């Protein structure tokens, strides 16, 4: 007996429902492609003038953006991945997160949680997991190592659940 499971959108779908983002949930429930949805918002009438290869490129770009934001990737890193200027990467992120506002709030909340709770990550069943980077993030003088704190923040969204 062979079984096939398509989990290609499992993480995005999970975060859509966990965050309660009504736009994302509607897109999933009506079987729409959320990356194409956002690309159409960004390009407006120009979307229909693009060829299939250009549309595929931009769909992939918006998928990279959403997953990147979900995993705490910086705009600078996204710009490098997309091979675009940082200003354009920021504009694309703003378009996507402007459409999925509730998801953005969920991401921001979970990324901020560990810093406010001594490195603990907001888990479904309580604060049972501490970021392994927390011990390096807080310096002896009470200040934070910026690089290590960013790791802790990424753990806040990557490990929530």
């Amino acid at each position: 007996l062979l079984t096939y499971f398509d989990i290609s959108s499992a993480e995005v779908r999970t975060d859509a429902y966990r965050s309660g983002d009504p736009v994302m949930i509607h897109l999933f429930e009506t079987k729409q492609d959320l990356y194409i949805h956002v690309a159409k918002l960004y390009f407006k009438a120009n979307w229909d003038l693009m060829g299939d290869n250009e549309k595929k490129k931009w769909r992939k770009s918006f998928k990279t953006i959403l997953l990147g934001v979900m995993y705490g990737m910086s705009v600078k890193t996204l710009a490098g991945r997309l091979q675009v200027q940082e200003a354009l990467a920021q504009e694309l992120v703003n378009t996507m997160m402007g459409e999925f506002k509730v998801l953005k709030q969920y991401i921001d909340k979970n990324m901020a949680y560990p810093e406010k709770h001594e490195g603990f990550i907001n888990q479904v069943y309580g604060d049972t997991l501490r970021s392994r980077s927390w011990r390096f993030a807080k310096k002896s003088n009470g200040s934070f190592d910026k690089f290590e704190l960013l790791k802790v923040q990424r753990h806040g969204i990557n490990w929530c659940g």
Side-chain angles (χ1 to χ4, degrees):
L1 174 69
L2 292 175
T3 305
Y4 172 76
F5 295 99
D6 179 8
I7 59 168
S8 59
S9 65
E11 294 162 301
V12 175
R13 188 179 297 265
T14 298
D15 278 356
Y17 284 93
R18 293 272 324 272
S19 69
D21 191 293
V23 177
M24 291 182 83
I25 292 169
H26 172 76
L27 291 170
F28 279 122
E29 290 183 353
T30 57
K31 300 190 185 329
Q32 295 180 61
D33 186 307
L34 59 96
Y35 310 114
I36 290 175
H37 172 81
V38 176
K40 285 179 177 181
L41 286 176
Y42 181 75
F43 288 106
K44 298 175 178 58
N46 291 331
W47 177 258
D48 294 327
L49 303 175
M50 289 182 191
D52 287 346
N53 287 340
E54 190 74 4
K55 287 179 179 179
K56 285 179 187 176
K57 173 194 160 208
W58 282 106
R59 182 196 182 277
K60 183 178 179 181
S61 293
F62 278 105
K63 183 176 183 178
T64 299
I65 291 164
L66 181 59
L67 292 171
V69 170
M70 283 173 52
Y71 291 113
M73 194 179 290
S74 71
V75 170
K76 183 176 182 172
T77 302
L78 278 170
R81 292 259 172 104
L82 299 172
Q83 298 180 339
V84 299
Q85 297 294 317
E86 279 186 58
L88 177 56
Q90 185 65 64
E91 190 177 325
L92 297 171
V93 167
N94 291 347
T95 299
M96 175 150 300
M97 293 297 102
E99 183 67 356
F100 306 135
K101 293 176 181 77
V102 176
L103 176 70
K104 177 67 172 133
Q105 292 170 353
Y106 171 80
I107 291 168
D108 291 346
K109 176 182 150 202
N110 281 292
M111 286 183 74
Y113 189 91
E115 185 179 351
K116 296 175 183 173
H117 295 88
E118 294 296 312
F120 285 98
I121 296 163
N122 188 16
Q123 296 284 293
V124 173
Y125 299 112
D127 300 332
T128 58
L129 180 65
R130 182 178 252 170
S131 168
R132 65 179 175 256
S133 296
W134 180 251
R135 64 182 168 194
F136 305 112
K138 201 166 187 180
K139 296 179 180 180
S140 59
N141 66 2
S143 67
F144 288 95
D145 178 286
K146 182 180 176 183
F147 179 72
E148 292 297 330
L149 185 57
L150 288 171
K151 281 185 187 177
V152 172
Q153 291 169 343
R154 285 192 303 273
H155 292 161
I157 189 62
N158 294 339
W159 293 345
C160 71

